[in-house]
Amino acid sequence: MSVTILAIESSCDDTSASIIRDGYMLSNLIANQDVHRLYGGVVPELASRAHQANIIPVVDQAIIQAGITQDEIDAVAFTRGPGLLGSLLVGASFAKGYALAQSIPLIEVNHLKAHVMSHWIKVPGKEMPLPELPFLCLLVSGGHTQLLIVKDDFSIEELGSTIDDAAGEAFDKCAKVMGLTYPGGPLIDSYASKGNKDAFKFTRPRIADLNYSFSGLKTNFLYFLRDRIKEDKDFIAKNIEDLSASLQQTIIDILLDKLVKAANKTGINQIGIAGGVAANSGLRSRLLEEAKHRDWEVFLPEFRFTTDNAAMIGITAYYKYLNKEFTGQGTSPLARYSIT
Ligand code: KG4
Ligand code: ZN
């Protein structure tokens, strides 16, 4: 029996729709919202308005690009949370209406779990090995930094998480201090590739267990720049590449330290990263480096599946469909929604 899912993601500032058939991605459309660039961060009210304008054309294109017709869709999935309530409401309302109109089941998906599940998206004509379970995953996004185990039944156990800022926030906030536009993570990544990672030393937190903290680094970075700018007002412009490389290296060291500890503690050797920061080239190459001298099999999601996308919602929904985990029309979005 073939299963075709229409999936919708609208938790933040990307409107995305995807068609997933039997675990294979047939299409994955993403409409980005440029309006936020002017404000240095996502403006919730503008985000929900843009979702409203984008959702129908994006869904339409996802169906056309998949080369299917609407009556081939067996279920419609949407992101229930976590995210911006107004943004989530657009996707959830659309999915509910679509399920009702087409008389097909509705499937709700946790956005964080979907980031992790992106490792199971299959691309036609591009067969890749899928992780075996249990799988140890470092989820690093703009709002979350968590060490997670995907267990044999695809349920999630959390080993640790950040006690303050997320890794993506550390990238974005430090980028903002350097005068870079939002989101600064990708910009730091690109400057870092031309810089010296040992040029400057920044603070590393001492946090118990498998938890993370990034707020100290952010403050340290801010004060460091403030002092240097007093001596030379062009300090940032002259050193942007070395600053980026050193900052990125510090964030990667912090992330890897706990990931190694988690792998040693659990004995799991199937290791992956997920979420927007998983696009970071330094983090990706460091992980491949670590795998060489450890008994690790490392999984790096394709770039297009690291940041927010509906294919990851679709693959999560596909496994829920197989378990007949459907949602009633009474469901509503959740701004906060735990992954476990
Ligand atoms: O998962 P995501 O798309 O949205 C959330 O659910 O948060 O992650 C967005 C985060 C932003 O903080 C962005 O700066 C960061 O991912 N990011 C990166 C890179 N690409 C995206 N951070 C570092 N290096 C990158 N190449
Ligand atoms: Zn996300």
Side-chain angles (χ1 to χ4, degrees):
M1 185 197 63
S2 180
V3 178
T4 305
I5 312 255
L6 163 64
I8 290 153
E9 153 65 28
S10 71
S11 65
C12 190
D13 60 342
D14 295 309
T15 321
S16 181
S18 170
I19 300 289
I20 297 279
R21 175 170 284 170
D22 302 330
Y24 284 90
M25 188 212 72
L26 301 189
S27 66
N28 184 36
L29 271 285
I30 303 173
N32 305 117
Q33 303 181 358
D34 274 341
V35 304
H36 309 288
R37 278 189 191 279
L38 294 170
Y39 302 93
V42 176
V43 183
E45 181 54 34
L46 294 179
S48 39
R49 282 167 196 234
H51 283 305
Q52 281 177 9
N54 292 340
I55 193 147
I56 291 177
V58 167
V59 168
D60 219 28
Q61 275 304 313
I63 294 171
I64 291 168
Q65 286 195 14
I68 65 160
T69 54
Q70 292 206 50
D71 50 11
E72 293 175 63
I73 296 170
D74 298 301
V76 54
F78 68 99
T79 306
R80 188 178 181 199
L84 301 170
L85 210 50
S87 291
L88 290 165
L89 258 171
V90 178
S93 310
F94 180 89
K96 281 204 239 181
Y98 194 89
L100 211 54
Q102 299 288 104
S103 300
I104 55 174
L106 183 64
I107 302 174
E108 65 186 39
V109 171
N110 179 301
H111 178 88
L112 302 173
K113 181 159 183 182
H115 271 301
V116 176
M117 291 297 294
S118 63
H119 286 283
W120 277 268
I121 301 170
K122 293 191 276 186
V123 177
K126 211 172 170 185
E127 295 303 326
M128 303 278 277
L130 301 179
E132 284 167 26
L133 298 173
F135 175 58
L136 179 61
C137 190
L138 172 63
L139 171 62
V140 269
S141 73
H144 295 83
T145 300
Q146 289 168 298
L147 271 169
L148 305 161
I149 299 176
V150 185
K151 299 205 275 191
D152 294 343
D153 59 355
F154 282 106
S155 65
I156 305 272
E157 180 187 332
E158 186 187 290
L159 297 175
S161 71
T162 180
I163 58 163
D164 42 55
D165 291 349
E169 252 175 306
F171 271 108
D172 295 340
K173 287 181 177 171
C174 291
K176 198 172 174 184
V177 171
M178 291 196 286
L180 302 177
T181 51
Y182 174 86
L187 297 172
I188 290 189
D189 191 355
S190 103
Y191 283 121
S193 64
K194 293 170 227 129
N196 171 11
K197 59 185 167 48
D198 300 315
F200 305 108
K201 281 267 164 293
F202 299 115
T203 182
R204 285 159 171 73
R206 286 200 197 90
I207 301 290
D209 307 321
L210 295 172
N211 293 323
Y212 288 105
S213 166
F214 288 99
S215 68
L217 172 61
K218 178 190 65 190
T219 314
N220 174 233
F221 191 72
L222 179 73
Y223 289 166
F224 172 82
L225 286 185
R226 200 186 55 183
D227 292 346
R228 292 300 178 100
I229 289 168
K230 272 185 205 155
E231 297 157 13
D232 175 3
K233 66 175 176 39
D234 298 325
F235 179 77
I236 294 177
K238 286 181 190 158
N239 294 280
I240 188 107
E241 290 165 353
D242 287 351
L243 282 167
S244 296
S246 303
L247 175 72
Q248 177 168 299
Q249 186 59 26
T250 310
I251 295 175
I252 294 171
D253 283 348
I254 295 170
L255 291 173
L256 259 293
D257 176 46
K258 296 294 170 91
L259 179 61
V260 168
K261 286 192 173 113
N264 291 342
K265 186 176 168 187
T266 59
I268 297 174
N269 74 344
Q270 303 283 298
I271 314 267
I273 47 175
V277 181
N280 183 267
S281 53
L283 178 60
R284 293 169 84 93
S285 50
R286 174 73 178 278
L287 220 62
L288 294 173
E289 222 19 71
E290 293 285 337
K292 279 189 201 153
H293 56 91
R294 295 178 198 280
D295 166 35
W296 284 6
E297 194 177 349
V298 162
F299 296 86
L300 303 175
E302 276 188 41
F303 283 108
R304 59 182 164 160
F305 300 142
T306 57
T307 42
D308 292 349
N309 67 88
M312 69 183 194
I313 305 300
I315 194 70
T316 314
Y318 170 67
Y319 286 97
K320 289 187 96 169
Y321 186 98
L322 298 181
N323 281 335
K324 298 203 169 6
E325 289 178 53
F326 302 133
T327 311
Q329 284 283 332
T331 184
S332 53
L334 296 171
R336 290 172 174 268
Y337 189 9
S338 166
I339 190 169
T340 52

